[in-house]
Amino acid sequence: MAAAACDGVSSAGIDEADEAVRGTCEDASVCKRFAVSVGYWKDPYIQYFVRQAKERKAPEINRGYYARVHGVSYLIKAFLKKTECNCQIVNLGAGMDTLFWRLKDENLLPRKYFEVDFPMIIARKIHHIKSKPPLSKPIMESHSGDSLLIDSHSLDSSRYSIQGADLRFSSELEEKLKKHNLDVHLPTLLVAECVLVYMTPQQSASLLKWAASTFPVAMFINYEQVNMTDRFGQIMIENLQRRQCNLAGVEVCKSLDSQRERLLLNGWETAHAIDMMKVYSFLPQADVKRIEGLEFLDEKELFEQLMQHYCICWASKDRSNLGLANIAF
């Protein structure tokens, strides 16, 4: 999702930065589709959103995405269990994510599922949904009530809503979500994967503060970089800068402590952060063994370094005492 507009940068420069961030959505989707094609996990929907990769992806990249998808999914399902699906999910910077369709297949849909991203990405996603029955049918099947609202930048059904908005402006975001029946009194899960790092620390703080002050019962899941001040982190930053991709929020990605602190400083009651190597060790080991047999991993050390530079953070506030603070791996 959003790249950050810096003071004193021309609008052309901002557009260029945003364009580079939009490119990361395509990269992530292509990597996921490749990992699915090799057998790391099942996702029958990703093929409708993105082309197959032209070249193989490295095994450490595939394992990294496996841990990301399973780690985030574990926390989402824990939240759905605590709320008995009587909740809503807001996927921030959703890109070509297929979670809505996968949850429907598992009979785990929340009351309503919202997706938000740059209008240009949303337009592309809506085009895929409209033109491909395996995507449009589940939305129609779960819809009830009035006719479905759809135009090039938004689609709204009774259970699924997808909107174009800039996450750097919380008031615009809130207005669009409320227009499509966001219910602030319902337990709400907000998910952001590699989103906050493209915003300035002030902009991400404002988004986190908005979420914490808007929903009395809520959980926030953030997946992004961590430990970025060491040599390996610097190389990651330089590689992205070469592609005109500026990590505007990288200073918050110093450590697991700085990640936790940001959540607590912006109105969340509890906050946890663990690196992806740890997440990987918590995943069901029989399945980890299975995927480790899919491809030979030559660069074990590189894989571990990579995993130590990404983390999952989650925070909660729980006025209804649903036990959200107890959610953990």
Side-chain angles (χ1 to χ4, degrees):
M1 199 336 262
C6 310
D7 293 337
V9 175
S10 71
S11 63
I14 293 165
D15 289 347
E16 211 170 278
D18 285 1
E19 189 49 52
V21 177
R22 285 195 282 268
T24 65
C25 155
E26 179 75 9
D27 293 347
S29 308
V30 169
C31 287
K32 283 181 182 174
R33 174 153 184 194
F34 182 79
V36 166
S37 75
V38 178
Y40 279 83
W41 70 92
K42 288 186 170 64
D43 183 345
Y45 301 102
I46 188 105
Q47 59 181 320
Y48 301 115
F49 285 118
V50 67
R51 61 187 165 75
Q52 182 58 286
K54 289 187 179 76
E55 65 289 316
R56 292 188 71 78
K57 301 293 173 188
E60 56 271 20
I61 300 289
N62 297 330
R63 285 191 195 181
Y65 272 99
Y66 168 86
R68 169 181 173 174
V69 168
H70 284 76
V72 171
S73 176
Y74 174 85
L75 292 175
I76 290 171
K77 286 178 181 174
F79 180 86
L80 289 167
K81 196 174 176 184
K82 292 277 188 200
T83 59
E84 296 176 345
C85 293
N86 186 28
C87 62
Q88 59 199 354
I89 294 178
V90 182
N91 192 335
L92 301 163
M96 297 297 137
D97 195 80
T98 59
L99 183 62
F100 168 82
W101 291 269
R102 290 180 284 125
L103 288 178
K104 184 181 183 298
D105 283 350
E106 291 182 64
N107 218 8
L108 284 174
L109 273 189
R111 280 236 234 134
K112 190 150 186 180
Y113 186 97
F114 296 86
E115 291 188 330
V116 186
D117 211 319
F118 279 122
M120 195 182 282
I121 288 174
I122 292 302
R124 227 172 67 221
K125 192 165 192 176
I126 289 172
H127 172 74
H128 288 306
I129 292 169
K130 284 201 303 199
S131 58
K132 293 164 187 173
L135 298 175
S136 54
K137 223 170 130 218
I139 294 172
M140 301 304 288
E141 284 167 2
S142 61
H143 180 63
S144 59
D146 301 333
S147 63
L148 201 116
L149 295 172
I150 186 162
D151 61 38
S152 62
H153 286 110
S154 88
L155 182 161
D156 187 53
S157 78
S158 57
R159 302 295 289 278
Y160 176 76
S161 182
I162 175 169
Q163 307 302 323
D166 192 326
L167 301 181
R168 293 167 291 198
F169 305 104
S170 307
S171 54
E172 178 200 338
L173 174 66
E174 179 169 9
E175 185 193 323
K176 290 204 172 174
L177 291 170
K178 282 187 170 167
K179 195 174 137 194
H180 296 99
N181 299 316
L182 178 83
D183 180 352
V184 296
H185 304 297
L186 209 52
T188 301
L189 172 62
L190 301 106
V191 184
E193 295 184 49
C194 290
V195 169
L196 303 185
V197 71
Y198 293 112
M199 306 161 88
T200 64
Q202 295 77 6
Q203 290 163 338
S204 65
S206 151
L207 179 65
L208 288 165
K209 208 171 275 168
W210 165 78
S213 60
T214 301
F215 307 102
V217 180
M219 179 164 150
F220 198 107
I221 299 172
N222 177 35
Y223 167 88
E224 69 181 4
Q225 292 87 340
V226 74
N227 298 324
M228 292 299 275
T229 51
D230 67 13
R231 185 70 200 116
F232 192 86
Q234 288 308 303
I235 292 166
M236 286 168 68
I237 293 168
E238 285 160 20
N239 286 341
L240 280 160
Q241 279 171 345
R242 267 200 288 278
R243 296 167 51 193
Q244 264 69 55
C245 215
N246 175 32
L247 298 181
V250 77
E251 70 186 66
V252 189
C253 303
K254 270 202 287 279
S255 65
L256 293 171
D257 283 343
S258 65
Q259 288 281 13
R260 264 191 299 269
E261 202 173 88
R262 165 170 59 181
L263 292 160
L264 294 170
L265 286 173
N266 288 299
W268 294 87
E269 290 161 6
T270 68
H272 310 264
I274 59 176
D275 74 47
M276 292 309 292
M277 205 57 225
K278 210 163 212 129
V279 172
Y280 192 68
S281 74
F282 289 145
L283 296 176
Q285 288 306 293
D287 200 51
V288 167
K289 210 173 163 63
R290 176 190 69 80
I291 67 113
E292 287 182 346
L294 292 173
E295 296 177 288
F296 176 67
L297 181 71
D298 200 19
E299 303 271 4
K300 220 174 180 113
E301 201 181 309
L302 174 63
F303 171 64
E304 286 177 8
Q305 279 191 303
L306 202 54
M307 297 289 268
Q308 283 156 3
H309 286 80
Y310 282 91
C311 66
I312 289 183
C313 323
W314 65 103
S316 66
K317 45 182 304 220
D318 188 4
R319 208 171 283 170
S320 300
N321 298 319
L322 297 177
L324 300 183
N326 304 327
I327 289 176
F329 282 93

